[in-house]
Amino acid sequence: MADLRHWQEIIGLSTVAELNRAVRTGHATEIIYVSEALQERKIAAVADQIKKSGCRIVMLAGPSSSGKTTTCKRLAVQLGAVGLRPYMISLDNYFLDREHTPRDEKGDYDFECLQALDVAFFNDQLHSLLKGETIQCPKYNFHTGHRETTAVGMTLGANDVLIIEGIHALNPDLTPDIPREQKYQLYVSALTTIQLDEQRRISTSDNRLLRRIIRDRKFRGYSAEDTIRRWPSVRAGEEKWIFPYQENCNRMINSALLYELAVLRNYVMPILEEVPVDAPEYEVALRLRGLVGFFEPIEDKQIPPMSLLREFLGGSSFHY
């Protein structure tokens, strides 16, 4: 993050006004490409560290909409470039069947807690992999609320690395029998570096919420009201289950991109405008509209297909 801030200071892009000026004078493409290159350099450096560490297990965690999945896929590419063969496991595929999911104090399903995962089954499969055995990878069906068995087999060879991605990946209670020194632990955040002005910073939580509103509408059919209503519960889960373990990581990757709110503006504004004035979520929607309204819009046609933003906007070269 310090490197990114230093780069922004050098080129004079620390505030929204400075970014808007650069966009209006035709520098949007350059900003996009350099921002993406800086992020890719960070991921490549992590791949180098993983190879040097000799760890066969990479634990990758981060809060909601921090870009864990795309970071995982881009890291896999970089691990291949240093001569390692990566395999990826998403902890989302180890959710308990919905009827067995714990409920919170309001009686709603608590998908944020560690107990929402079938930890015993996950560890059985993990230990089988580490012994050189083949497992059948599960797939959780979010529409039916049940885990399904697939025909996809996985076996780890001597030169293979396993990347385990999910919000609980850094929680030691997830893998209690794996010594810490055998795990390379990576935390993905979305620390917004550009400021509204010299005094006012942009909330990291707002950046992630905007990403999630767009993704939820595009890929899950949820309204902005649905996502905003759920957000306090998501944030409470992060405070309890994610943030306390971020200090366990070997390295942190900042997934926020300097230009992204200028791109998100065109996507999220019409979704936010659908929230009725009399809805409880209207106040948050109005505030978010005001935030993205500060940005000169950037069209997304110049965003590379491997960009982390494609996880939320669509058009990615990765399969999710």
Side-chain angles (χ1 to χ4, degrees):
M1 183 172 173
D3 292 344
L4 180 55
R5 285 196 182 279
H6 181 60
W7 172 70
Q8 287 179 218
E9 290 170 1
I10 290 173
I11 63 174
L13 289 179
S14 298
T15 67
V16 175
E18 292 166 344
L19 175 62
N20 288 345
R21 190 178 306 117
V23 172
R24 285 194 295 266
T25 54
H27 295 286
T29 299
E30 177 187 354
I31 293 168
I32 290 172
Y33 288 170
V34 175
S35 298
E36 295 287 347
L38 285 169
Q39 198 169 85
E40 194 64 29
R41 282 168 62 91
K42 294 287 186 183
I43 296 172
V46 169
D48 290 337
Q49 286 189 348
I50 292 170
K51 182 172 184 178
K52 191 176 297 184
S53 74
C55 292
R56 299 184 66 205
I57 301 175
V58 177
M59 310 296 290
L60 190 152
S64 174
S65 300
S66 59
K68 296 182 295 296
T69 304
T70 301
T71 301
C72 179
K73 292 178 181 295
R74 287 171 65 174
L75 177 59
V77 172
Q78 292 294 341
L79 288 171
V82 296
L84 299 174
R85 186 166 61 174
Y87 287 90
M88 294 173 282
I89 284 181
S90 171
L91 291 175
D92 284 356
N93 288 323
Y94 290 86
F95 273 121
L96 292 167
D97 288 344
R98 191 157 298 159
E99 61 267 25
H100 300 304
T101 302
R103 294 181 181 267
D104 60 21
E105 61 278 1
K106 297 179 181 179
D108 297 325
Y109 288 120
D110 188 356
F111 297 110
E112 314 299 326
C113 69
L114 179 63
Q115 290 73 27
L117 299 178
D118 192 339
V119 176
F121 175 59
F122 166 74
N123 277 279
D124 285 346
Q125 291 214 313
L126 178 58
H127 288 297
S128 294
L129 282 172
L130 294 176
K131 289 188 291 186
E133 299 173 0
T134 300
I135 66 165
Q136 300 304 123
C137 300
K139 180 71 175 179
Y140 191 81
N141 187 323
F142 285 90
H143 293 290
T144 65
H146 290 83
R147 189 173 64 230
E148 300 170 352
T149 301
T150 73
V152 180
M154 182 184 296
T155 309
L156 286 185
N159 203 40
D160 297 342
V161 175
L162 182 65
I163 309 174
I164 299 169
E165 172 262 318
I167 64 173
H168 297 291
L170 298 189
N171 188 334
D173 291 335
L174 176 70
T175 53
D177 299 327
I178 308 295
R180 180 170 179 173
E181 60 271 16
Q182 294 181 19
K183 298 178 284 191
Y184 187 95
Q185 302 188 93
L186 184 63
Y187 185 80
V188 182
S189 189
L191 302 176
T192 316
T193 56
I194 195 163
Q195 299 187 176
L196 286 175
D197 52 40
E198 297 297 338
Q199 282 76 42
R200 293 180 296 170
R201 303 184 67 179
I202 296 173
S203 164
T204 293
S205 175
D206 282 348
N207 197 152
R208 293 190 290 112
L209 177 54
L210 288 166
R211 288 178 175 182
R212 181 158 173 159
I213 288 170
I214 294 169
R215 185 194 63 189
D216 282 358
R217 163 57 68 85
K218 188 173 185 67
F219 298 108
R220 301 178 182 180
Y222 297 160
S223 68
E225 288 177 77
D226 295 330
T227 304
I228 293 170
R229 186 182 307 118
R230 175 70 179 159
W231 192 242
S233 175
V234 172
R235 294 281 290 132
E238 293 170 350
E239 293 287 347
K240 184 175 182 179
W241 296 105
I242 303 174
F243 297 150
Y245 304 108
Q246 60 183 312
E247 299 303 323
N248 293 343
C249 71
N250 298 91
R251 187 76 177 262
M252 190 199 85
I253 288 181
N254 183 12
S255 73
L257 291 155
L258 171 63
Y259 68 88
E260 73 170 275
L261 291 175
V263 174
L264 297 184
R265 172 182 168 156
N266 284 347
Y267 279 85
V268 79
M269 191 69 84
I271 304 174
L272 293 170
E273 289 173 346
E274 293 175 359
V275 178
V277 176
D278 58 350
E281 297 76 24
Y282 180 76
E283 184 177 346
V284 173
L286 184 63
R287 180 176 59 77
L288 294 174
R289 283 163 56 185
L291 171 60
V292 296
F294 282 115
F295 287 82
E296 190 79 18
I298 296 177
E299 298 296 328
D300 71 347
K301 58 185 178 182
Q302 298 296 331
I303 300 176
M306 288 178 64
S307 172
L308 183 138
L309 273 192
R310 290 294 180 191
E311 178 178 337
F312 306 95
L313 305 180
S316 178
S317 57
F318 294 119
H319 176 71
Y320 295 97

